[in-house]
Amino acid sequence: MLSEKSRPVIEATLPIIGERISHITPKFYSRLFAAHPELLDGLFSRANQNNGTQQQALAGSIAAFASHLVNNPGTLPEAVLARIAHKHTSLGIVEEQYGIVYEHLFAAIAEDLGDAVTTEVAEAWTEVYWLMADALIKIEKGLYAKQANNKIWTDWKLVSKEEAGTGSITFRFVPADDTPVTVAEPGQFVSVRVALSDGIRQCRQYTLSDSATSTTERVITTKFDEGGEVSPFMHRNLSVGDVIELSNPYGDLTIDTTGAPIVLATAGIGCTPSASALATLAAAGSDRRVLVLHAEATEDAWALKEQMRESVDALPNAELRLWLEDINAKAEDTEATEGYMSLKGLDLPADARLYLCGPLPFMRAVRSQAIDAGIPATHIHYEVFGPDLWLAA
C-alpha cells in the first residue's frame, strides 16, 4: 500500500502528472529507444509507437494506478494489473526490464516538469512506480510458471491458410518441434512474432478463434486492414509450410464453459473469442444456454460465419442473432436485423454473464444497454487491446 508520507504528495501532484503524462510518455519512449534500440526488435510495436497507442496505454495505466492508491488505500487495482500482466507475459517482459523503464521514465518526468519535481515528489512517484512494478512482476512470474514450458517463443508451422470473410484469413498452425504445449482457455490470445522485410521482428496479439483446448494446433483469424504491420505481412507473405514464432496462451478474459447462461456479444473481427468459446462448448457436448449476438457491416465481412453457425447448430440451447448495417447484401437463408446491435426486446437469460469483444464504441454502447437491462456490471466482461479507461466512466 502507499505510505502515509507519500499519499498527500501523490494526491496533490496527481492532477498535474495526469495532465502532463501524455506529454511525458513520448519523451520517455524517445529516451528508452535511444538507449536500447534493441527493444524495437521483437518487443515493442512500431505501429503502436507511430499511432500513439502505446504512449496512451502507458500514460493511462500509471495515472489509473496512482488514482486507485489515493482513492482506495490498502488495495490494488487487481483487474487492471492482471490485464497488463497477461499482455506483458505474452511478449516476454522480464523483471530486469522494469529497472530500465524506471530510469528513462523518471528522466522524462524530470525533463518535462523541471523544478516541480522536488526530492519529495520524486520519492513519492518512485514509490508508486515500484508498487505497480512489483505487483506486476509477482503476477507475471506466476503466469510464466503456469505454462507447460519455460519458453517465451516456440516454433509453429502453418498448415492451412483460408479466406474467412472479406479481408480476413484463418491461419492454422501445428507445433514445429516437441516443446510441450499449454492448453488454452476460450477467450485467450497468443502473440505472433514475425521478421518483416527490413529484418526487424514485430509482434501482435491474436485471440484464438477455434477450439482453445487443443494441444495439437493453434488457430487465429486476422483482418488485413488493422493499422499494424503484422497482419498485412501474414496475409501477403506467409505460405503453408512456413514456420513462425508463437507465444504461450495468455489473457484474463476467459469464457467459462460451465455454469450460468452466457451472452456473447461481438462485432467485426471481435467474433474470434466468441467463435472459440462456441467451438469449445460444441466439442464438449455442452447443454449450457448461450445467446450469440453478432454485428457486421455486411454478411460477406463476417469472418467466422460458417464455424459459428455450425457450433450454434450443434448446441441444443444456443441461439444466434445477427445485425447487418447493409441488410440488402445478406444471403437469402440468413436471418438478420438491419442496423446496429440493440439489446432492446431481447430475452436475456436470467443471471447471464455477458462477454463483449469488438470496437470500443460498440462495446461502450452494448455495455450501457446491458446495464440498463439489469445485467450487473460485475457480470460484464470485455477485452480491449489498448487503453480501456473509458470503462471507469
Side-chain angles (χ1 to χ4, degrees):
M1 66 178 65
L2 189 63
S3 69
E4 290 302 320
K5 177 183 178 181
S6 294
R7 180 172 292 107
V9 179
I10 297 301
E11 191 168 13
T13 56
L14 186 55
I16 184 62
I17 293 291
E19 178 185 338
R20 295 301 305 171
I21 195 70
S22 61
H23 299 273
I24 293 169
T25 48
K27 294 182 175 69
F28 155 66
Y29 281 112
S30 178
R31 287 176 172 272
L32 177 68
F33 295 137
H36 296 276
E38 73 278 3
L39 294 178
L40 278 172
D41 181 14
L43 186 59
F44 284 92
S45 166
R46 294 187 300 195
N48 289 344
Q49 288 296 318
N50 292 335
N51 63 27
T53 301
Q54 186 63 52
Q55 291 92 325
Q56 186 182 358
L58 177 63
S61 64
I62 293 172
F65 185 80
S67 296
H68 182 95
L69 294 181
V70 169
N71 297 323
N72 303 275
T75 67
L76 295 174
E78 301 291 349
V80 173
L81 290 173
R83 188 168 297 121
I84 295 171
H86 277 274
K87 293 180 181 181
H88 280 183
T89 45
S90 79
L91 296 171
I93 298 294
V94 294
E95 181 176 356
E96 293 74 20
Q97 290 167 328
Y98 282 92
I100 296 172
V101 168
Y102 169 79
E103 175 189 351
H104 296 287
L105 177 59
F106 276 74
I109 291 173
E111 176 187 348
D112 188 80
L113 297 180
D115 293 340
V117 185
T118 64
T119 299
E120 183 182 43
V121 170
E123 289 177 350
W125 280 95
T126 293
E127 183 180 346
V128 168
Y129 175 84
W130 283 110
L131 281 171
M132 184 174 181
D134 289 341
L136 287 171
I137 290 167
K138 181 179 179 180
I139 298 171
E140 288 160 14
K141 284 183 176 179
L143 292 175
Y144 285 132
K146 290 180 180 179
Q147 300 299 329
N149 59 74
N150 59 2
K151 297 182 178 181
I152 302 300
W153 302 101
T154 54
D155 289 339
W156 290 72
K157 183 170 70 173
L158 180 64
V159 294
S160 175
K161 178 181 179 181
E162 299 178 353
E163 291 187 6
T166 305
S168 297
I169 289 178
T170 292
F171 298 85
R172 291 183 180 271
F173 299 92
V174 298
D177 56 32
D178 59 358
T179 301
V181 175
T182 299
V183 175
E185 298 180 64
Q188 289 195 305
F189 57 81
V190 295
S191 287
V192 172
R193 187 165 73 171
V194 296
L196 303 181
S197 57
D198 59 2
I200 297 296
R201 295 171 298 174
Q202 289 288 276
C203 306
R204 188 173 179 98
Q205 294 155 334
Y206 297 103
T207 303
L208 298 169
S209 59
D210 206 338
S211 182
T213 57
S214 173
T215 59
T216 59
E217 68 175 7
R218 296 280 194 235
V219 185
I220 59 174
T221 302
T222 76
K223 188 176 181 180
F224 177 85
D225 185 16
E226 292 184 309
E229 295 183 274
V230 178
S231 291
F233 176 88
M234 292 175 64
H235 282 228
R236 291 172 175 151
N237 300 94
L238 280 193
S239 300
V240 171
D242 288 347
V243 174
I244 66 169
E245 294 177 304
L246 302 183
S247 74
N248 288 311
Y250 291 97
D252 62 332
L253 178 67
T254 55
I255 301 175
D256 185 10
T257 53
T258 62
I262 56 174
V263 178
L264 306 172
T266 59
I269 199 62
C271 67
T272 51
S274 178
S276 177
L278 289 170
T280 304
L281 288 165
S286 174
D287 61 357
R288 189 177 187 185
R289 186 176 180 194
V290 184
L291 179 58
V292 184
L293 313 175
H294 185 63
E296 282 286 355
T298 65
E299 186 181 355
D300 287 345
W302 186 2
L304 295 163
K305 177 177 66 175
E306 296 305 325
Q307 178 185 319
M308 291 175 68
R309 291 176 68 177
E310 288 175 5
S311 294
V312 168
D313 289 343
L315 294 167
N317 295 310
E319 177 187 357
L320 172 66
R321 297 287 300 270
L322 176 67
W323 284 261
L324 298 173
E325 293 177 40
D326 183 3
I327 201 167
N328 295 320
K330 77 177 185 66
E332 292 183 2
D333 64 342
T334 301
E335 293 185 6
T337 301
E338 186 172 17
Y340 298 109
M341 184 183 294
S342 173
L343 302 186
K344 292 181 180 179
L346 292 182
D347 180 20
L348 298 175
D351 199 31
R353 269 54 176 175
L354 172 63
Y355 295 87
L356 295 168
C357 192
L360 282 175
F362 162 81
M363 290 197 292
R364 186 184 295 117
V366 176
R367 180 177 184 269
S368 296
Q369 293 177 34
I371 291 174
D372 291 343
I375 296 180
T378 54
H379 289 185
I380 301 174
H381 310 278
Y382 64 93
E383 178 64 279
V384 182
F385 286 90
D388 56 359
L389 299 182
W390 60 271
L391 288 174

